[in-house]
Amino acid sequence: MELEVKTLDGAAAGSITVSDEIFGLEPRTDLIHRVVRWQLARRQAGTHKAKQRSEISGTTKKFVRQKGTGGARHGNKKAPQFRGGGKAHGPVVRSHAHDLPKKVRALGLRHALSAKLKGDGIIIVDDAKAAEAKTKALYARFAKLGLSNALIIDGSEVDANFRLASRNIPAIDVLPIEGINVYDILRREKLVLTKAAVSALEERFK
């Protein structure tokens, strides 16, 4: 399919042909959902920890006699039902990551790109470069394209001035093509791809 190409100043810069196998699929929300869950599970720290009964520092002296009190027979203040005792079935340090086949991950990315295009959320630009690292100047160029909440994907390397100028603009993310992922595509309103990024995607899924 043919997509219009623009400059960062909003001017027309021709057109580009993109693959229907990447941008023309009928989006499947179940696949996209599986990939997003996989991504978020992998980045979860899993450093939560509560002390179990055996980890509490305290006496094991029997604090009440065995018989005659009318109460339960306790022999340890570290039991979970007492204040200061261990936590029963509390969280432990662990990894939340789970496996997802590479083919499913790749398919999820293609469906996310197709969903974005179907919702008129993709803009193709000829390049993402800045003459100088000036945030104000780049912000004005983004305004011409109507970008206020966007993920910008460049080729294998992001222009240094462009990266520096854009990193202080709220709700604007800039990544090289190696960093493209389903979660970041979905969390921003617009996806801006350079022609280099489109070529790299075509090569990746060829």
Side-chain angles (χ1 to χ4, degrees):
M1 71 177 73
E2 289 279 332
L3 295 180
E4 182 186 358
V5 179
K6 296 182 178 180
T7 66
L8 280 178
D9 296 309
S15 62
I16 189 172
T17 303
V18 298
S19 171
D20 289 340
E21 295 297 318
I22 301 174
F23 296 94
L25 301 175
E26 186 61 34
R28 279 183 53 185
T29 55
D30 61 315
L31 278 175
I32 296 172
H33 176 251
R34 285 179 67 184
V35 178
V36 169
R37 282 192 64 247
W38 171 78
Q39 277 190 246
L40 296 183
R42 285 190 72 207
R43 81 177 194 178
Q44 194 168 343
T47 53
H48 40 26
K49 179 72 172 74
K51 287 188 176 181
Q52 311 292 320
R53 178 172 176 168
S54 62
E55 297 170 305
I56 296 293
S57 177
T59 180
T60 57
K61 174 180 170 59
K62 189 172 177 66
F63 59 92
V64 68
R65 65 179 187 270
Q66 178 80 354
K67 296 179 180 293
T69 64
R73 298 165 292 182
H74 294 297
N76 193 332
K77 271 283 190 179
K78 296 189 289 182
Q81 64 266 39
F82 296 119
R83 181 177 181 182
K87 179 73 173 175
H89 312 296
V92 294
V93 176
R94 68 184 181 90
S95 170
H96 291 268
H98 57 266
D99 291 333
L100 191 66
K102 283 184 179 180
K103 288 184 178 180
V104 176
R105 286 181 255 160
L107 193 58
L109 178 57
R110 287 158 56 192
H111 278 267
L113 291 168
S114 296
K116 209 67 175 177
L117 183 60
K118 191 173 183 180
D120 294 325
I122 289 184
I123 298 173
I124 309 293
V125 296
D126 55 351
D127 59 35
K129 290 182 170 56
E132 52 184 357
K134 296 292 185 181
T135 299
K136 184 177 181 180
L138 189 60
Y139 185 82
R141 296 177 76 186
F142 284 167
K144 294 176 183 177
L145 271 179
L147 298 180
S148 58
N149 188 309
L151 170 65
I152 301 170
I153 303 292
D154 202 353
S156 57
E157 290 186 10
V158 177
D159 180 67
N161 286 339
F162 187 87
R163 176 175 50 82
L164 290 171
S166 64
R167 68 181 181 179
N168 204 32
I169 302 177
I172 296 291
D173 299 326
V174 179
L175 292 173
I177 189 61
E178 289 81 4
I180 191 170
N181 64 88
V182 174
Y183 179 69
D184 281 334
I185 288 173
L186 297 181
R187 70 191 286 262
R188 295 300 180 203
E189 291 177 3
K190 295 290 185 180
L191 173 63
V192 180
L193 298 171
T194 64
K195 289 200 291 186
V198 173
S199 298
L201 283 171
E202 299 269 1
E203 184 66 26
R204 179 172 173 179
F205 291 115
K206 186 170 64 175

